[in-house]
Amino acid sequence: MNVSLTPAREPPAGSQSMRAARLIGPGRIEIVSLPLPEPGPGEVRIAVEACGVCASNLGPWSGPDWMTYPTEPGGMGHEGWGIVEALGPDVTGVTVGERAAFLGQRSYASHEIVPATHLVPLPEGTAFPAEPVACALNIFRRSGIGRGDRVAIIGVGFLGALLTRLAADAGAEVIAISRREETLALARRMGAARTVPMIDHHEIVDEVRELTNGSFCEVVIEAVGKQWPLDLAGELVAEGGRLVIAGYHQDGPRQVNMQQWNWRGIDVVNAHERRPETYLRGMREAVEAVQKGWIDLSGLLTHSYPLEDLAAALDATRDKPEGFVKAVVTCS
């Protein structure tokens, strides 16, 4: 994969410029220079410090048939935080110079314009991607996990690790299922009672059956976004249990064993949120949880790349080098 650096265009006299990454083809990034935008009514301009890299970026990065290129500058970046740099007309309750996480969509850039209502202030000395932590909190809320539940979590990346911690702290017995031994070890550190290598479908089903005395799990969270983990999840849910789809399925249609789902009488929850107010609530809860030590992100934000190396960050997110959990891209 290659990073293409394009010559910076000269900004108009008296103005400043910004830098942004965009996809120009499958596995190809370029950095462009653009005039620095001015916030409109109700908007603020953020000097982006950094942005987390989401696994949902890997679909566009691979070049599926539905993609068109080039993408918009900064596009795909939606886990940003930074410093409020300028206020548009009619903005109140926001101070230039304050640090905030924000709900944006073009954060692979040095600057982004967002509605002032989409900011979540970060306390002094705190800087982290609140949006993906909010995803974990929102999924956990939708999962309905309670004390004594047996919970299988399929896929232990950043999201699966946080869900393991949240479920264990709620008093659930967590069975974590993942491909890599180092992520199984991570799951154990996050509170998993049992870990199962994600190698053979039937062996996994047999082991979970044995661990649960033949009853399987009250809640199963699928956090991979592929067909096989979804198939596996359906087999691990107890009768009357709940299958929670947390993985982001973006590579085409899925088939499900509806006869099995019907027979077991399970509830199926699509735990993805789209309403900004739900995301923002989760982000505020994420900031509180991190500030008060309820959620510890140490060991989860493992790799950092400058904006010019976004391609390497995306490759690492796909290939999972040793020790990798989640990458952030520094944008300032």
Side-chain angles (χ1 to χ4, degrees):
M1 305 303 180
N2 298 312
V3 176
S4 173
L5 297 177
T6 60
R9 293 190 291 124
E10 288 295 325
S15 73
Q16 297 174 289
S17 63
M18 61 171 280
R19 296 157 50 250
R22 67 179 179 182
L23 277 174
I24 57 173
R28 298 174 60 206
I29 294 282
E30 70 175 3
I31 306 296
V32 297
S33 180
L34 304 167
L36 191 65
E38 294 297 329
E43 296 179 333
V44 301
R45 185 174 70 227
I46 303 289
V48 182
E49 292 184 300
C51 180
V53 178
C54 181
S56 67
N57 294 169
L58 297 181
W61 181 236
S62 69
D65 293 340
W66 48 264
M67 278 296 297
T68 57
Y69 301 98
T71 59
E72 60 179 345
M76 300 196 305
H78 59 270
E79 299 180 0
W81 73 90
I83 304 297
V84 176
E85 188 176 80
L87 308 181
D90 305 322
V91 172
T92 60
V94 180
T95 304
V96 170
E98 73 174 298
R99 176 178 280 120
F102 57 91
L103 199 55
Q105 293 294 329
R106 298 176 299 279
S107 301
Y108 289 143
S110 62
H111 296 79
E112 184 170 2
I113 301 290
V114 298
T117 54
H118 286 189
L119 300 183
V120 175
L122 292 171
E124 184 70 27
T126 303
F128 72 98
E131 193 270 354
V133 181
C135 281
L137 291 169
N138 288 334
I139 291 165
F140 180 73
R141 179 182 292 108
R142 295 281 296 275
S143 72
I145 292 170
R147 180 170 297 279
D149 283 343
R150 290 165 297 191
V151 177
I153 296 178
I154 303 174
V156 184
F158 180 83
L159 181 61
L162 283 178
L163 289 167
T164 298
R165 168 57 65 197
L166 292 168
D169 286 350
E173 180 183 342
V174 179
I175 302 170
I177 302 165
S178 191
R179 290 187 299 112
R180 297 181 292 155
E181 176 52 43
E182 63 183 4
T183 56
L184 294 173
L186 172 62
R188 290 190 289 271
R189 293 196 300 272
M190 301 299 280
R194 298 285 190 276
T195 56
V196 179
M198 193 172 175
I199 298 173
D200 180 270
H201 182 100
H202 297 291
E203 288 182 4
I204 296 168
V205 173
D206 289 344
E207 186 164 351
V208 174
R209 179 188 289 111
E210 182 177 349
L211 289 171
T212 59
N213 297 316
S215 298
F216 292 105
C217 298
E218 284 79 18
V219 181
V220 177
I221 301 177
E222 182 275 305
V224 180
K226 299 294 183 182
Q227 180 70 61
W228 175 37
L230 184 62
D231 293 339
L232 180 61
E235 293 210 45
L236 302 183
V237 187
E239 291 183 9
R242 185 175 300 107
L243 193 166
V244 180
I245 300 172
Y248 190 48
H249 293 258
Q250 59 178 333
D251 61 339
R254 292 287 180 256
Q255 292 182 322
V256 300
N257 188 340
M258 190 57 70
Q259 179 188 30
Q260 180 189 71
W261 290 13
N262 284 162
W263 176 256
R264 295 194 181 185
I266 65 175
D267 293 330
V268 180
V269 177
N270 175 16
H272 289 273
E273 302 288 354
R274 289 293 174 264
R275 293 173 295 180
E277 60 271 21
T278 304
Y279 266 112
L280 290 164
R281 179 188 65 184
M283 290 169 68
R284 288 189 289 270
E285 293 173 348
V287 170
E288 181 183 16
V290 170
Q291 184 184 22
K292 294 184 177 180
W294 301 335
I295 289 178
D296 182 3
L297 297 179
S298 62
L300 297 181
L301 302 175
T302 54
H303 288 61
S304 178
Y305 301 82
L307 182 62
E308 289 78 8
D309 287 344
L310 175 59
L314 290 164
D315 282 348
T317 301
R318 179 196 63 208
D319 299 335
K320 306 291 192 298
E322 184 177 356
F324 183 91
V325 179
K326 186 175 180 67
V328 297
V329 169
T330 55
C331 302
S332 58

